[in-house]
Amino acid sequence: MSPEPTHLEKIRERFTATADVFAQTVRITRAAEGELLAERATAGLANADTLTAIDLACGPGTFTRPLAARVARAIGADLTPAMVEKARAEAARDAITNIEFTCADVYALPFANGSAGIVSCGYAFHHMTDPARALAEMTRVVRPGGRVAIIDIIVPEGFDPAHENAIERERDPSHTATLTVARFRSMFRDAGLRIHSEDQHENVHDFDAWMRNAGRAPGDDYYARTRERMGNCMSSDTSGFRPRASGEDGGGIEFIHTVLLIVGEKPE
């Protein structure tokens, strides 16, 4: 009998299988968030245009490219080789010359202490089994006076993380836990980071497009179970998704992801 895959293997398998559709989707849906993260991470940061920025779980480079426009050198790192290939191809297509991409494990980064002025991570903490350890690695790599920036989905205040996570894990077994604002703040403090800025916003998603982005289609078991769970929230939502009927015939579903962008600064 084959051994159960590790969680990192699950992540790599999921994003290898969905590399094409994922890259196509986030290139459009997360473009504005990429600009926002780069703006917040560099705002008021002395000599930002001379710094190196490292973007973790970079995917196709959605957050790496806006950083590259504001710093001297940007490095995107991802666990999945297929994503790194996508990122390299897109950067080459756009003739971005101060950017590079590599495969790396967020828990054991191949970068020296204090080697970056900015370390960022987009939409990956909800896939991590040990987010505090990942943040500690990010903090190690950033230099004193530098910034750590994270953007990710969160469970809104007043909703039940268990219900939100049950739906997310049904859709995607590589999902571990959606965190709360309080948890992110606590991790930043424990890592020795001073919170520089916070932004929250809401993204409205079409259920079918969201499922397709995870490689799920109508008719498969994952789709059916996830839709049933999401549909059960429509009359009395405890998950924070706040789903509602959509489409001309009301047969579709749209829902909300609440997103946090948090930027911390490492003391000098």
Side-chain angles (χ1 to χ4, degrees), residues 10-149:
K10 287 182 182 179
I11 294 171
R12 190 182 291 113
E13 288 170 4
R14 181 261 153 113
F15 286 98
T16 298
T18 61
D20 289 338
V21 67
F22 181 85
Q24 183 179 20
T25 300
V26 299
R27 186 186 303 125
I28 299 168
T29 60
R30 294 180 182 171
E33 290 177 329
E35 294 295 333
L36 180 63
L37 182 144
E39 176 188 330
R40 292 289 192 271
T42 57
L45 187 60
N47 302 313
D49 59 351
T50 69
L51 300 176
T52 293
I54 298 173
D55 180 41
L56 305 177
C58 67
T62 312
F63 295 96
T64 325
R65 290 194 300 275
L67 284 167
R70 293 168 170 83
V71 299
R73 179 187 182 211
I75 303 170
D78 199 280
L79 181 69
T80 306
M83 283 298 177
V84 171
E85 291 174 12
K86 289 283 183 188
R88 285 173 177 158
E90 293 196 12
R93 180 201 64 199
D94 295 338
I96 304 173
T97 58
N98 67 329
I99 199 168
E100 59 192 89
F101 296 94
T102 188
C103 285
D105 178 350
V106 71
Y107 300 122
L109 296 173
F111 307 112
N113 295 353
S115 56
I118 298 167
V119 182
S120 64
C121 185
Y123 285 99
F125 267 64
H126 63 275
H127 290 289
M128 296 177 185
T129 55
D130 194 347
R133 181 181 166 199
L135 183 57
E137 267 293 270
M138 294 173 72
T139 305
R140 176 186 68 79
V141 170
V142 79
R143 73 180 196 177
R147 304 263 176 84
V148 170

Side-chain angles (χ1 to χ4, degrees), residues 178-199:
T178 305
L179 305 181
T180 62
V181 173
R183 175 71 171 130
F184 272 111
R185 289 172 179 163
S186 174
M187 289 195 307
F188 269 58
R189 288 193 299 269
D190 290 346
L193 298 169
R194 179 184 65 84
I195 295 176
H196 180 266
S197 65
E198 285 184 20
D199 293 273

